Amino acid sequence: MSEIYRALADETRRLLLDELLTRDEQTLFELCTKLAMNHDLTPSRQAVSQHLDVLEAAGLVRTERRGRYKLHTIDTTPLAEIAERWPLRKDQQ
């Protein structure tokens, strides 16, 4: 579970997850473009690739190679562990 928290600790990684939530199966180029256009961030492709590697290691992103393209898809399943560990209290529901 510590990998999930580590992955979510970085704002750029959270933004990448936000972008993948809007549309799955995006390439590295598409994600770099979305960061620049939607969030005014211009990290290098290598930096974004490293962020995606951290997200994949935490189980938050799945990667599939199709031909010469690598497509990235969000997987929110690990986030359920957080909700299970700290569920809403009855007075907060």
Side-chain angles (χ1 to χ4, degrees):
M1 186 179 268
S2 63
E3 286 181 341
I4 296 169
Y5 295 121
R6 180 174 164 257
L8 294 173
D10 185 89
E11 183 170 355
T12 302
R13 290 193 282 268
R14 291 191 305 269
L15 291 173
L16 286 167
L17 290 174
D18 290 342
E19 291 301 333
L20 288 170
L21 195 58
T22 62
R23 186 174 67 82
D24 276 334
E25 297 186 343
Q26 295 189 59
T27 65
L28 176 62
F29 176 78
E30 289 172 308
L31 290 167
C32 288
T33 302
K34 296 274 180 85
L35 287 177
M37 292 178 67
N38 298 342
H39 306 285
D40 215 19
L41 292 174
T42 55
S44 68
R45 288 175 58 137
Q46 182 179 7
V48 174
S49 180
Q50 290 172 346
H51 283 304
L52 289 167
D53 288 344
V54 171
L55 291 167
E56 189 171 8
L60 294 165
V61 168
R62 286 179 283 122
T63 302
E64 179 185 340
R65 187 170 288 282
R66 284 195 204 144
R68 59 184 234 188
Y69 296 103
K70 218 172 156 182
L71 302 174
H72 306 280
T73 300
I74 189 170
D75 184 351
T76 57
T77 306
L79 298 176
E81 292 179 38
I82 295 171
E84 288 172 10
R85 184 168 180 175
W86 293 291
L88 287 177
R89 295 181 355 190
K90 289 182 184 179
D91 62 337
Q92 293 175 329
Q93 295 178 353

